[in-house]
Amino acid sequence: MQWFAQAPSNIALIKYMGKSDEAHNLPANPSLSWTLKHLVTSVSLEKIPGRKDRWEPLETPGSAPFSLSKSAETRFLEHLSRMKAYFGHEGAFVVRSSNNFPKGCGLASSASSFAALTRCSVEALCELTGRETPSVEEQAALSREGSGSSCRSFYSPWALWRDETVCAMDFPCGELFHQVLVLSHEEKSVSSSEAHRRILTSPLYAGRTQRAEDNLKTLIAALEHNDWAAAAQTAWREFHDMHSLFETASEPFTYRTPEVRNFLNQLEMHWQDTGDGPIVTMDAGPNIHLLYRPDQTGLARALMQDKWLGNCDVL
Ligand code: PMV
């Protein structure tokens, strides 16, 4: 017996950084993300004899072979165990997964991976136990236990997550176009679980919850009123806030490398010169995410053809 499911990634403009409850991945502050429908993880589950689950890459014709680090594989299998315990099922599976986007390109794949594994195991375990399919809310809450940011991947086009509640949001800006400037292909040296812990030691952490709340309020108002410049300004302030926490922790780390700063300066200059531009954000990695309105595709194309910011890989 086999099951298959997919789930998208998401990029937060108001960041989830810091937990109020580490055991259940409850966030210290609310976050707001845009769902990246085109960047997906696929997961399949196959029933096997015995009690021990195992992970394998999912072969997808035409894609590069997919791999997971030992620790990522363990975390993934632990989430499958959590799902099985929730449904009271003890049988074993081989779980296969792959992403349709390259590794090390600055995309947090944990959001799409955990959301896809949750969906696929819900399908399998409902069929095997005869239980009813849990609601989307319940599935998002289960997924959150594996990876916090994955709970937002169940909602689109935008997702708002506060405490135990996630909901979809929509704004008049329409379908956004997403690009990543891939400035480093290296694996992250500080995991996001570790980042959530380290930032608590920053002197800037005091007041962080309030700053995130303020940024969220301003961003929602800007998006509701189609005030793109105010939305971009708020997203800019917000990711710099998270990166300042990283750099001022007692064990500091940084993703704002000289190359990243150079690209950020160019983006800032573009905004200053033209009064317009993409929304810019950075996740926990040395790569820059850009979101464009539907009428800005010319600008996005110019960037891909190296006519705008200079040479870098664009995804
Ligand atoms: O879901 P986690 O624990 O991998 O946290 C990810 C947090 C950030 O990606 C850095 C920000 C966010 O809100 O997605």
Side-chain angles (χ1 to χ4, degrees):
M1 290 174 97
Q2 284 226 41
W3 297 266
F4 178 80
Q6 290 184 319
S9 188
N10 68 74
I11 179 72
L13 296 189
I14 303 297
K15 308 292 183 183
Y16 155 51
M17 189 40 59
K19 303 183 187 186
S20 64
D21 175 346
E22 209 180 325
H24 298 288
N25 288 340
L26 288 175
N29 62 265
S31 55
L32 180 74
S33 57
W34 169 256
T35 304
L36 302 169
K37 279 192 267 174
H38 55 301
L39 302 173
V40 298
T41 297
S42 301
V43 169
S44 78
L45 282 167
E46 185 182 346
K47 209 167 162 319
I48 49 169
R51 292 279 164 91
K52 200 169 165 358
D53 303 315
R54 65 169 202 276
W55 179 85
E56 281 178 6
L58 180 69
E59 311 271 343
T60 25
S63 322
F66 183 70
S67 64
L68 282 183
S69 67
K70 205 68 209 160
S71 61
E73 186 181 316
T74 306
R75 236 183 105 201
F76 210 50
L77 291 175
E78 275 170 7
H79 187 59
L80 178 58
S81 298
R82 185 181 294 118
M83 295 297 296
K84 290 197 306 188
Y86 183 79
F87 280 84
H89 181 81
E90 291 187 338
F93 295 96
V94 48
V95 49
R96 300 183 177 92
S97 68
S98 71
N99 297 337
N100 74 347
F101 49 94
K103 242 182 146 177
C105 64
L107 279 155
S109 59
S110 80
S112 52
S113 321
F114 281 80
L117 176 57
T118 304
R119 266 189 190 152
C120 195
S121 47
V122 158
E123 273 186 35
L125 294 163
C126 282
E127 191 172 332
L128 292 169
T129 62
R131 291 245 307 251
E132 251 185 52
T133 306
S135 64
V136 175
E137 288 77 13
E138 207 175 331
Q139 293 188 38
L142 284 165
S143 199
R144 192 198 70 221
E145 303 264 337
S147 152
S149 58
S150 74
C151 71
R152 296 187 309 238
S153 285
F154 287 78
Y155 299 86
S156 67
W158 296 84
L160 173 65
W161 173 28
R162 178 188 287 280
D163 303 321
E164 298 191 31
T165 311
V166 202
C167 64
M169 292 200 83
D170 202 358
F171 299 108
C173 52
E175 188 70 27
L176 303 183
F177 180 76
H178 171 251
Q179 277 178 337
V180 194
L181 308 185
V182 184
L183 303 181
S184 166
H185 289 274
E186 270 171 45
E187 289 281 307
K188 280 198 281 193
S189 56
V190 179
S191 69
S192 58
S193 322
E194 178 64 20
H196 285 292
R197 275 192 290 271
R198 285 203 201 174
I199 53 119
L200 302 178
T201 63
S202 160
L204 301 178
Y205 188 67
R208 165 61 193 157
T209 310
Q210 192 54 50
R211 294 196 299 276
E213 290 280 4
D214 293 346
N215 287 340
L216 177 67
K217 207 167 148 200
T218 314
L219 180 60
I220 289 179
L223 290 170
E224 272 170 351
H225 296 103
N226 245 329
D227 188 345
W228 186 255
Q233 219 172 53
T234 312
W236 183 272
R237 185 164 65 238
E238 170 66 12
F239 82 77
H240 277 299
D241 194 323
M242 179 174 81
H243 284 262
S244 301
L245 293 173
F246 295 163
E247 289 165 13
T248 53
S250 59
E251 272 183 87
F253 56 105
T254 188
Y255 297 115
R256 291 187 291 197
T257 60
E259 203 190 357
V260 164
R261 284 183 183 278
N262 175 39
F263 276 89
L264 291 176
N265 285 341
Q266 290 191 63
L267 285 159
E268 204 172 18
M269 265 151 53
H270 180 87
W271 262 101
Q272 274 163 13
D273 294 348
T274 66
D276 197 16
I279 288 181
V280 181
T281 191
M282 285 177 69
D283 213 43
N287 301 303
I288 301 173
H289 293 249
L290 306 175
L291 289 171
Y292 299 86
R293 297 186 309 269
D295 63 298
Q296 289 178 313
T297 43
L299 187 59
R301 218 172 306 118
L303 190 140
M304 277 192 271
Q305 292 162 354
D306 290 341
K307 286 190 195 134
W308 183 34
L309 285 180
N311 210 354
C312 68
D313 285 348
V314 183
L315 181 80

